[in-house]
């Protein structure tokens, strides 16, 4: 079993910055991708950013140029640096990991979510 622990959420003023972290633990053979999604009240969960095993990244248009996704050198912690935050960035942010785990089976895991609230 794999566990994802997120941290870094909280209240921040518009224009400010926040960094989210997500650490994976458990039986992990390799990681295909790590990413962040968010879900605002009354809206569907949406992709924010993904980083793939080779280092390539993908961002939602709404966060390009403001958010940066990265991984720790050990590879099982992913970060989301959020700058120039806007009120519309307010949401619960979820970590997602696609990996090869026990028995060399591919699996996908979600974190518990961390609330980010941006005030005007």
């Amino acid at each position: 079993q794999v566990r994802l622990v997120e941290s870094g959420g909280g209240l921040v003023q518009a224009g400010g910055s926040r960094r989210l972290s997500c650490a994976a633990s458990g039986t992990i053979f390799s990681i295909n991708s790590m990413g962040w999604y968010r879900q605002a009240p009354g809206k569907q969960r949406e992709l924010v950013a993904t980083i793939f095993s080779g280092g390539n990244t993908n961002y939602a248009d709404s966060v390009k140029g403001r958010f940066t996704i990265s991984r720790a050198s050990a590879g099982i912690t992913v970060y989301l640096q959020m700058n120039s935050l806007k009120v519309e960035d307010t949401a619960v942010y979820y970590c997602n990991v696609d990996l090869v785990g026990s028995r060399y089976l591919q699996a996908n895991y979600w974190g518990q979510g961390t609330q980010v609230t941006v005030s005007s």
Side-chain angles (χ1 to χ4, degrees):
Q1 188 68 9
V2 172
R3 184 183 180 209
L4 302 181
V5 178
E6 301 159 348
S7 60
L11 177 65
V12 60
Q13 286 191 329
S17 298
R18 202 81 182 180
R19 189 174 86 152
L20 304 182
S21 300
C22 173
S25 62
T27 303
I28 300 172
F29 180 68
S30 64
I31 291 181
N32 299 319
S33 65
M34 302 182 82
W36 291 94
Y37 288 72
R38 67 186 180 186
Q39 187 167 18
K43 295 187 177 181
Q44 289 187 331
R45 190 173 297 187
E46 63 175 0
L47 173 68
V48 176
T50 304
I51 185 165
F52 298 93
S53 58
N56 291 339
T57 58
N58 181 47
Y59 294 93
D61 288 342
S62 59
V63 306
K64 281 181 181 177
R66 300 188 298 122
F67 290 11
T68 302
I69 189 169
S70 61
R71 282 173 63 175
S73 58
I76 58 174
T77 300
V78 64
Y79 305 99
L80 184 69
Q81 178 66 43
M82 305 183 293
N83 298 328
S84 302
L85 282 161
K86 304 176 181 181
V87 172
E88 50 264 41
D89 293 319
T90 296
V92 178
Y93 284 72
Y94 296 91
C95 176
N96 177 268
V97 178
D98 189 87
L99 55 81
V100 177
S102 61
R103 304 179 188 178
Y104 299 99
L105 295 175
Q106 184 176 357
N108 191 278
Y109 293 91
W110 290 93
Q112 79 282 3
T114 185
Q115 176 72 45
V116 174
T117 301
V118 184
S119 63
S120 59

